[in-house]
Amino acid sequence: MTDTSSAPGSAPGSVPSPPGGARASFGGFIPQRSTGLKLLLVCGLALLMAIPALFVYGVVYERSQGADRALNDVASKVGGEQTVLGPVLAIPYSYAPDADKPGEVVYGVGLVYPDTGTIEADVSVEERQRGIHLVPVYTADTSFTAVFDPETFSAAWPRGASPVWSDARFYMGVRDARGLKTAITATANAAPLSFEPATYGGSDTYSPVPSSDLRLAGAELIGIEEMENPVTIRAAMSFSGAGRIAFAPFARDTDVQMTSDWATPSFTGGVLPSDHNAGDAEDGFTANWRVPYLARGIPGAGPRLSLYDVTAYNRHDLAVKFIREANPYQSVQRALKYGAMFIGLVFLTYFLFEVTSHLRA
């Protein structure tokens, strides 16, 4: 026979309750099977298991900083991120702003950009190792063609001013002259030009060198003030750099053609290439840029122009970054960003299963 007796004071057939209550523990202070408590525990476990990811992130951050230091160290010796400027004409001028005071003379420098300009660049890239890091270093062989129209020269100085032809120069430049491999060779209408490092002398009252963030070299063309036919400048330059190469849209209408043996370029700068085959070939890429006059948005000649307008970093330049296709630090950082979500998702799945099914997991 089955004993159906109950404890004194309890209903017939009921199951005796354990001491301290059926749904309480630790003396009744913490309720059992509480949804809110389990949610807090899920959040706490997810945070605890995310702590090791923070230590991994610290290691990745340190390695990334080391890679940047290696890039800067190598770049300081080969030229760094180079920006190149094609031939531009600078014409100093002087004028008296007040006709009643002819002794007060104001000086300035006007710029004349070519009507058309083309750049052909052949860029070879190699990876140099610094510690555990690989740094892409390139050598670029470039040729320039620029055509100037003498009829536009008068727009370089204000009305009533007089040009100082003796200090007029054609200028070319790179961001870091330490990367130059050879001297700049150039001709003007087949006559040789001799480029010299730009100096800030020439006059006690003004400098014939236009303001720029590049290192400039200038060349004088004898008799330029008497020319009536277009002046064609052809120049060649070889230089090295690291990480990034950029070309300034130095002409009213600029065309750039680049060929490289690097298979994974990243096109940056203010203008993207009009066509390229990056990703289609494993042995390199070719890219073409075209910047027409209206798209450039900078006057072709004027007394208040600055070379900063065309050489400003990431504003109008035509640039390529040489990056590795598989960056381990970037991959680990992405995994760490999603790590907390995946850790919390596992516990949240069990929590939702127990809440919705009313079964203990």
Side-chain angles (χ1 to χ4, degrees):
M1 296 181 62
T2 304
D3 186 7
T4 58
S5 62
S6 303
S10 61
S14 62
V15 179
S17 300
R23 300 185 182 275
S25 61
F26 294 100
F29 293 104
I30 302 178
Q32 291 183 348
R33 305 187 67 178
S34 169
T35 302
L37 176 61
K38 290 184 177 181
L39 180 60
L40 292 176
L41 289 176
V42 166
C43 295
L45 288 174
L47 290 176
L48 287 175
M49 297 191 69
I51 290 177
L54 296 178
F55 291 100
V56 177
Y57 179 81
V59 175
V60 173
Y61 179 79
E62 182 182 359
R63 294 289 179 86
S64 299
Q65 294 297 312
D68 293 338
R69 288 192 296 269
L71 175 61
N72 294 332
D73 188 22
V74 174
S76 65
K77 297 176 175 58
V78 299
E81 297 184 348
Q82 293 282 27
T83 299
V84 185
L85 175 69
V88 174
L89 178 60
I91 305 175
Y93 59 84
S94 64
Y95 71 100
D98 191 348
D100 297 332
K101 299 178 180 179
E104 294 183 1
V105 180
V106 177
Y107 295 91
V109 178
L111 293 178
V112 180
Y113 294 106
D115 283 0
T116 60
T118 61
I119 301 175
E120 295 181 0
D122 185 6
V123 184
S124 59
V125 187
E126 64 174 345
E127 287 187 314
R128 296 187 182 180
Q129 188 166 359
R130 179 58 57 92
I132 62 173
H133 307 288
L134 295 175
V135 180
V137 175
Y138 60 83
T139 300
D141 296 321
T142 57
S143 59
F144 305 82
T145 302
V147 179
F148 294 84
D149 186 359
E151 294 184 359
T152 63
F153 291 174
S154 59
W157 55 82
R159 180 177 300 178
S162 300
V164 185
W165 291 109
S166 60
D167 284 333
R169 298 287 189 276
F170 290 99
Y171 287 101
M172 297 181 65
V174 294
R175 189 169 299 279
D176 193 340
R178 293 177 299 177
L180 288 173
K181 296 297 184 182
T182 60
I184 300 175
T185 59
T187 60
N189 291 344
L193 288 178
S194 178
F195 277 88
E196 301 288 340
T199 60
Y200 292 85
S203 175
D204 295 335
T205 54
Y206 74 97
S207 171
V209 181
S211 61
S212 172
D213 55 343
L214 307 183
R215 298 299 301 174
L216 301 177
E220 180 183 4
L221 180 59
I222 303 298
I224 185 175
E225 67 275 14
E226 300 174 356
M227 292 185 175
E228 298 180 355
N229 297 323
V231 180
T232 302
I233 305 293
R234 302 184 187 276
M237 180 191 305
S238 180
F239 60 92
S240 63
R244 182 180 188 267
I245 184 173
F247 297 96
F250 68 100
R252 293 171 180 242
D253 196 326
T254 307
D255 283 291
V256 178
Q257 300 177 2
M258 181 187 297
T259 302
S260 176
D261 56 0
W262 188 260
T264 57
S266 175
F267 299 107
T268 62
V271 181
L272 296 178
S274 55
D275 62 89
H276 65 84
N277 66 346
D280 298 335
E282 297 181 356
D283 56 349
F285 73 93
T286 59
N288 300 314
W289 288 263
R290 171 74 184 279
V291 184
Y293 184 35
L294 293 180
R296 193 180 76 145
I298 301 171
R304 297 179 180 85
L305 299 181
S306 170
L307 291 180
Y308 284 114
D309 297 332
V310 295
T311 62
Y313 186 93
N314 226 12
R315 185 176 176 183
H316 292 287
D317 56 359
L318 321 174
V320 176
K321 278 189 174 181
F322 302 102
I323 61 175
R324 299 181 64 189
E325 185 175 10
N327 189 333
Y329 305 116
Q330 186 179 24
S331 301
V332 174
Q333 285 181 349
R334 289 177 178 175
L336 291 174
K337 291 178 180 179
Y338 292 105
M341 182 186 70
F342 285 111
I343 293 172
L345 185 61
V346 173
F347 291 99
L348 185 61
T349 301
Y350 281 95
F351 170 75
L352 293 177
F353 171 79
E354 182 171 334
V355 171
T356 57
S357 65
H358 303 289
L359 298 176
R360 298 189 64 180

